[in-house]
């Protein structure tokens, strides 16, 4: 868990930045005697043992198998101890006060710190396939002991963490029917003297808590300031869906935390200029159809048309569609496709300006990969199909009988080149669209995926196509990677791999035409 410190690149008014998020803890089941709570160990989430999943035979070369690594990037099966966000999920926010402090904020004000922003992020990221519906409790629930008694801190010891959760569950269970909810957030009074704003984390239960006829597998403990770090709850919620930490924690606690992925995924930094989830994560979560992931295999050249990852349908989600109980919010987040990235003008000398969307117009190749002579480019197999936690997104989701369900046209969002039994390269188009509206530079982002690497140890790493330049100082969490994408007209050979990418043009709709050469 990283130590708190100031972020020299944050805009004025941001006092600190947790470069990485607090790693989720591990804890035995809560229901039972007090001894059960005090016997837990203070292990990080990376040590949590994987839960058995439904095995589905998938043979596509680009589908990496899920391993014993916690939050493994494997996509062949879904870990059924996690809810798969392919349907609406209900989350309860429970607000905890303490006898040593009178709350200065109301539960409604603290709820507004996180929602509907968190729900909006996920509805954009999932192209409207997933809704996170928040149900904030209107009252404070007082804990039986002072806030200082729980010794809340970033590296929270097992005994005090167990006492906190035991007391919170005991007090809340008398008022709340947990069977109604898929996700539980415990939100502590931010002004209580014993609350450490750097202690927010997901606590995984080694044995699920059976309460109100349902099993609770994990609890999100929130200790954020008011107002909080932006998108911090969206990051923690990502762990609830089995996504790993993508930040790098130096062994000595010093240096940069964002060297693995920079701004390019929420699980690396909640402060990123382009925090949308990687296409690989969207595939894992069930948000991309089989025809939206192109598996490039065999030596030779393959031409593809890649839609911008963030482009999706601009639809009104209807009453309550913003994920807020009783609220209403439309899907206007999809506007803004094309144009120069807003952060480009702020890059210092040596950074690369972002060209306006457009470029040489080339007829779209459609949602399917169009291979040149040589290799085979095929739609990848749907990950986790039929696994517990909801069915995978099968080919039927993109049917010729009607309009496409995904993206702006159901086109290809991700290209994958296998590089080993548990590794691959991902290629996706990133630009100022959706959750990436403030992106620093646009183009084709290249990254390495390793399914056997633990959360926090670099399971995904962005490959910098411009290692000698930086961009967006003052805004980017890690300027050396802010200009990582391969731009229009550029050719890039991936270091250490026999893979070359050529970005050939743009279509009238803003998609990118590329050629991937392997072997």
């Amino acid at each position: 868990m990283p130590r708190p410190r100031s972020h020299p690149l944050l805009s004025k008014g941001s006092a600190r930045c947790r470069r990485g998020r607090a790693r989720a803890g591990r804890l035995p089941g809560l229901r039972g005697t007090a001894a059960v709570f005090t016997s837990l160990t203070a292990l990080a989430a990376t040590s949590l043992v994987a839960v058995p999943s439904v095995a589905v035979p998938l043979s596509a070369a680009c589908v990496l198998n899920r391993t014993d690594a916690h939050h493994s990037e494997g996509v062949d099966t879904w870990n059924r101890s996690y809810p798969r966000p392919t349907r609406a999920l209900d989350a309860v926010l429970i607000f905890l006060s303490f006898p040593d402090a009178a709350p200065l904020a109301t539960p409604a004000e603290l709820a507004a710190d996180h929602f509907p922003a968190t729900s909006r992020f996920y509805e954009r990221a999932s192209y409207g396939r997933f809704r996170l519906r928040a149900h904030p409790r209107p009252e404070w629930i007082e804990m039986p002991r002072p806030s200082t008694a729980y010794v809340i801190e970033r590296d929270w010891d097992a005994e005090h963490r167990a006492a906190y959760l035991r007391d919170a569950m005991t007090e809340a269970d008398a008022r709340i029917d947990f069977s109604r909810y898929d996700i539980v957030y415990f939100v502590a009074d931010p002004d209580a003297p014993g609350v450490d704003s750097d202690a927010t984390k997901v606590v995984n239960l080694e044995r699920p808590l059976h309460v109100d006829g349902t099993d609770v597998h994990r609890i999100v403990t929130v200790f954020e300031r008011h107002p909080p770090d932006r998108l911090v709850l969206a990051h923690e919620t990502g762990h609830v869906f089995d996504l790993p930490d993508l930040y790098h924690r130096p062994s000595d606690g010093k240096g940069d935390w964002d060297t693995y992925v920079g701004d390019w995924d929420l699980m690396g930094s909640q402060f990123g200029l382009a925090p949308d989830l990687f296409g690989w994560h969207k595939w894992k979560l069930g948000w991309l159809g089989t025809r939206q992931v192109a598996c490039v295999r065999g030596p030779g050249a393959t031409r593809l048309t890649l839609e911008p990852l963030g482009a999706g349908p601009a639809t009104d989600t209807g009453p309550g569609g913003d994920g807020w109980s009783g609220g209403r919010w439309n899907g206007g987040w999809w506007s803004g496709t094309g144009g120069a990235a807003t952060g480009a003008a702020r890059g210092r000398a040596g950074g690369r300006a972002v060209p306006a969307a457009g470029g040489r117009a080339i007829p779209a190749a459609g949602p399917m990969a169009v291979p040149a002579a040589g290799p085979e480019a095929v739609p990848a197999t749907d990950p986790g199909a039929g696994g517990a936690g909801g069915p995978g997104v099968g080919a039927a989701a993109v049917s010729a009988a009607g309009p496409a369900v995904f993206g702006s046209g159901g086109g290809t969002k991700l290209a994958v080149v296998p590089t080993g039994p548990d590794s691959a390269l991902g290629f996706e188009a990133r630009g100022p669209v959706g959750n990436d509206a403030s992106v620093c530079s646009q183009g084709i982002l290249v990254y390495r995926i390793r399914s056997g690497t633990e959360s926090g140890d670099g399971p995904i790493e962005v490959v910098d196509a411009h290692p000698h330049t930086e961009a967006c100082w003052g805004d980017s969490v890690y300027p050396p990677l802010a200009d990582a994408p391969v731009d229009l007209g550029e050719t890039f050979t991936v270091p250490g791999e026999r893979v070359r990418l050529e970005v050939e043009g743009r279509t009238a709709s803003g998609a990118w035409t590329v050629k991937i050469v392997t072997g």
Side-chain angles (χ1 to χ4, degrees), residues 55 167 256 331 453:
D167 288 350
D256 286 303
T453 301

Side-chain angles (χ1 to χ4, degrees), residues 30 35 87 233 253 262 270 279 296 317 437 447 470 496 506 513-514:
L30 294 174
R87 59 183 177 85
L233 203 61
Q270 68 268 30
V296 180
T317 59
Y447 52 89
E470 301 177 348
R506 302 291 302 276
T513 56
V514 304

Side-chain angles (χ1 to χ4, degrees), residues 393-418:
V393 182
V398 187
S399 171
V405 176
F406 301 95
S408 60
T412 304
K413 298 286 190 182
L414 173 67
V416 179
V417 176

Side-chain angles (χ1 to χ4, degrees), residues 274-355:
D276 203 5
L277 299 177
F278 286 127
W280 185 270
H281 282 163
K282 297 190 182 198
W283 189 28
K284 173 181 177 178
L285 295 176
W287 299 340
L288 295 182
T290 56
R291 295 180 181 274
Q292 292 186 283
V293 182
C295 182
V296 180
R297 48 188 183 176
T302 301
R303 281 190 168 84
L304 301 166
T305 297
L306 294 175
E307 287 186 346
L309 183 68
T315 57
D316 191 324
T317 59
D322 59 357
W324 185 255
S325 297
R328 182 179 178 86
W329 186 70
N330 64 38
W333 53 63
W334 300 118
S335 62
T337 303
T342 57
R346 295 190 291 272
R348 71 174 187 178
R352 294 163 48 253
V354 180

Side-chain angles (χ1 to χ4, degrees), residues 105-124:
T106 67
E109 289 172 331
L110 296 183
D113 282 345
H114 303 289
F115 290 93
T118 301
S119 296
R120 290 175 178 176
F121 176 88
Y122 279 104
E123 195 153 359
R124 285 192 292 263

